[in-house]
Amino acid sequence: MEKRKILVTRPQLPPLNEFIPLLADIWESRWLTNNGKYHQEFEKALAAYLGVPYVCLFANGTLALMAALQCLHIKGEVITTPYSFVASTHALWWNGIKPVFVDIEPDFCNLNPKQIEAAITPETTAILPVHVYGNPCEVEQIQNLADIYGLKVIYDAAHAFGVRKKGSSILNFGDLSIVSFHATKVFNTIEGGAIICHDKKTKRRIDYLKNFGIADETTVVAPGINAKMNELQAAYGLLQLKYFDTVIDARQHITKKYREGLKHISGIRFLEEMEMVDHNYAYFPIFIDEMEFGSSRDDVFEALKTQNIYGRRYFYPLISEFPTYRSLPSAKNLDIAHKISRQVICLPLYPDLPDEVVDTILSLLDDMFQMNSKKISIKILRQSQRK
Ligand code: T4K
């Protein structure tokens, strides 16, 4: 039998026997979408679980992001990060907004708040930061700048489901936050997403926007879109929520194992815990310094493949390097993001990833490190003998 490929992630599914009665109920009711009972129940359950005021469910995170920009009438220029999944910037483009890229900070790979001010012009209307890998941005500094310049803040929190800072959901920051429930995320509804908002009126407007702008049978209040989550996904999501805490525990266990195994390898950096943050352990990126480690990121990527292990270079290339965006003036001088995107590999991380696979990955990296160290020592010895 062919050995199963180890991919960067493997979706977590709820127990099938618990899902079947919910499917039977949906079959019986013939209510499949458009704000059905599971949709309503799931929104309430999510708000309670996350500790946020209002949740508006969506068909996916990208449509949620596009609708969030519509909801706040964002136009002109928006400051954002080049170090993210393309959807962050595509949502701006689809709204006719000009993305303005600002470099990231090296510690957690989030938008550098110190460089935002220099990028503000009279056309700037908002900031769109991303909590990359689920690690919170400098939310206070970003809000402070937004307040001074009268800008809106929309967080792309696609990776940050369940993350808390000082005990409060990270989704409570900014004017709006969006999350993704895609199959590859810590919490999935197969496809899916949500906007988190602070008040009832905003929720009502978002709910119109995701349903063609329909307010009632004869009233259309905005050029909305169809971005609704269906009943099957909402029921599935309700079950997923029951198991989410155990998912986080399992992810934390793997993260600790990786950190422990990598800490003695020079040339490989990984992200540490942040102070006063409850993490969701969404990704485990490592950053390879070729000079120090002796092999490049791509050497490691290929070496893993020989063991049937498939990491992912999230996020390489940068969004600002893709054809749609590379001619923008702000696509230049993004030195930190450029460097990090060439060093990164996300290692496999999902709740049922066997410990033995983590051990295989760690010993492969350790072997490469030992071999490179020997080569470097021989090179130094030869150089000194030649002198
Ligand atoms: N903002 C940010 C910051 C995001 O990261 C994303 C999505 C969004 C916005 C937009 O949210 P959504 O509209 O997607 O809700 C994946 C996901 O498709 C994407 O949702 C995610 N970010 C991005 C970071 O990763 P790809 O192109 O890497 O997907 P793919 O198909 O190569 O899958 C990744 C790995 O997962 C593969 O090794 C295969 C494995 N996999 C995938 C699926 C779909 C499975 O084992 N089972 C599966 O069902 O983008």
Side-chain angles (χ1 to χ4, degrees), residues 75-77 119-125 149 151:
K75 294 184 173 65
E77 295 179 3
I120 296 173
T121 74
E123 304 303 315
T124 312
T125 54
Y149 288 94
L151 306 175

Side-chain angles (χ1 to χ4, degrees), residues 110 129-137 139 155-157 159-160 170-171 177:
N110 286 329
V130 181
H131 300 300
V132 179
Y133 309 128
N135 290 315
C137 295
V139 285
Y155 280 105
D156 179 341
H159 303 173
I170 198 65
L171 307 172
S177 288

Side-chain angles (χ1 to χ4, degrees), residues 63-88:
L63 284 166
L65 208 44
M66 285 164 59
L69 293 160
Q70 280 284 318
C71 171
L72 298 179
H73 298 287
I74 305 297
K75 294 184 173 65
E77 295 179 3
V78 169
I79 291 170
T80 191
T81 171
Y83 192 76
S84 180
F85 187 60
V86 279
S88 309

Side-chain angles (χ1 to χ4, degrees), residues 29-326:
S29 73
R30 304 278 177 116
W31 193 280
L32 304 183
T33 186
N34 289 15
N35 200 26
K37 81 167 182 191
Y38 287 108
H39 185 283
Q40 291 175 31
E41 203 183 318
F42 187 34
E43 282 194 339
K44 287 200 185 91
L46 278 174
Y49 179 82
L50 294 168
V52 299
Y54 295 97
V55 172
C56 312
L57 289 173
F58 272 77
N60 59 58
T62 307
L63 284 166
L65 208 44
M66 285 164 59
L69 293 160
Q70 280 284 318
C71 171
L72 298 179
H73 298 287
I74 305 297
K75 294 184 173 65
E77 295 179 3
V78 169
I79 291 170
T80 191
T81 171
Y83 192 76
S84 180
F85 187 60
V86 279
S88 309
T89 308
H90 282 350
L92 296 171
W93 203 260
W94 275 70
N95 273 287
I97 296 162
K98 184 175 171 190
V100 175
F101 296 113
V102 160
D103 209 355
I104 58 172
E105 45 75 24
D107 292 346
F108 290 98
C109 312
N110 286 329
L111 192 62
N112 187 343
K114 293 195 184 77
Q115 296 195 21
I116 292 177
E117 203 161 14
I120 296 173
T121 74
E123 304 303 315
T124 312
T125 54
I127 308 169
L128 178 71
V130 181
H131 300 300
V132 179
Y133 309 128
N135 290 315
C137 295
E138 295 284 1
V139 285
E140 286 90 2
Q141 287 185 50
I142 291 171
Q143 194 56 54
N144 189 32
L145 278 169
D147 291 344
I148 293 170
Y149 288 94
L151 306 175
K152 299 285 187 198
V153 182
I154 298 174
Y155 280 105
D156 179 341
H159 303 173
F161 184 90
V163 174
R164 286 185 288 267
K165 187 173 174 173
K166 296 181 192 161
S168 170
S169 172
I170 198 65
L171 307 172
N172 284 320
F173 291 89
D175 293 279
L176 297 172
S177 288
I178 76 97
V179 274
S180 164
F181 305 148
H182 181 260
T184 56
K185 296 290 185 281
V186 277
F187 179 87
N188 84 79
T189 58
I190 307 170
E191 292 273 0
I195 300 181
I196 313 304
C197 65
H198 304 294
D199 61 86
K200 214 172 174 170
K201 278 188 197 160
T202 308
K203 173 162 173 52
R204 192 177 60 183
R205 181 163 162 74
I206 294 168
D207 286 346
Y208 292 158
L209 283 172
K210 75 178 191 198
N211 186 28
F212 312 99
I214 293 174
D216 62 43
E217 221 176 307
T218 54
T219 321
V220 172
V221 294
I225 197 158
N226 180 0
K228 292 161 281 149
M229 179 182 279
N230 67 53
E231 284 293 89
L232 278 75
Q233 287 171 274
Y236 173 105
L238 274 166
L239 289 180
Q240 293 284 61
L241 208 46
K242 272 174 52 180
Y243 296 97
F244 187 65
D245 288 345
T246 58
V247 164
I248 294 302
D249 291 346
R251 287 178 166 275
Q252 184 181 31
H253 163 78
I254 296 157
T255 302
K256 278 188 178 159
K257 207 167 152 52
Y258 273 136
R259 283 182 179 151
E260 191 51 39
L262 290 173
K263 67 181 184 200
H264 69 282
I265 302 185
S266 29
I268 295 189
R269 181 171 81 94
F270 52 84
L271 303 182
E272 302 284 357
E273 301 276 302
M274 292 171 113
E275 269 179 40
M276 289 185 282
V277 171
D278 299 313
H279 291 275
N280 65 3
Y281 308 99
Y283 295 86
F284 193 81
I286 56 170
F287 305 91
I288 292 156
D289 181 331
E290 188 176 345
M291 294 301 282
E292 213 179 320
F293 183 66
S295 298
S296 71
R297 180 272 308 271
D298 290 337
D299 294 337
V300 173
F301 186 67
E302 294 302 327
L304 286 167
K305 278 201 215 165
T306 64
Q307 303 295 309
N308 227 9
I309 293 164
Y310 292 76
R312 282 301 281 262
R313 288 163 290 186
Y314 294 133
F315 291 102
Y316 165 80
L318 295 175
I319 302 176
S320 49
E321 292 174 304
F322 290 122
T324 318
Y325 306 112
R326 67 186 171 207

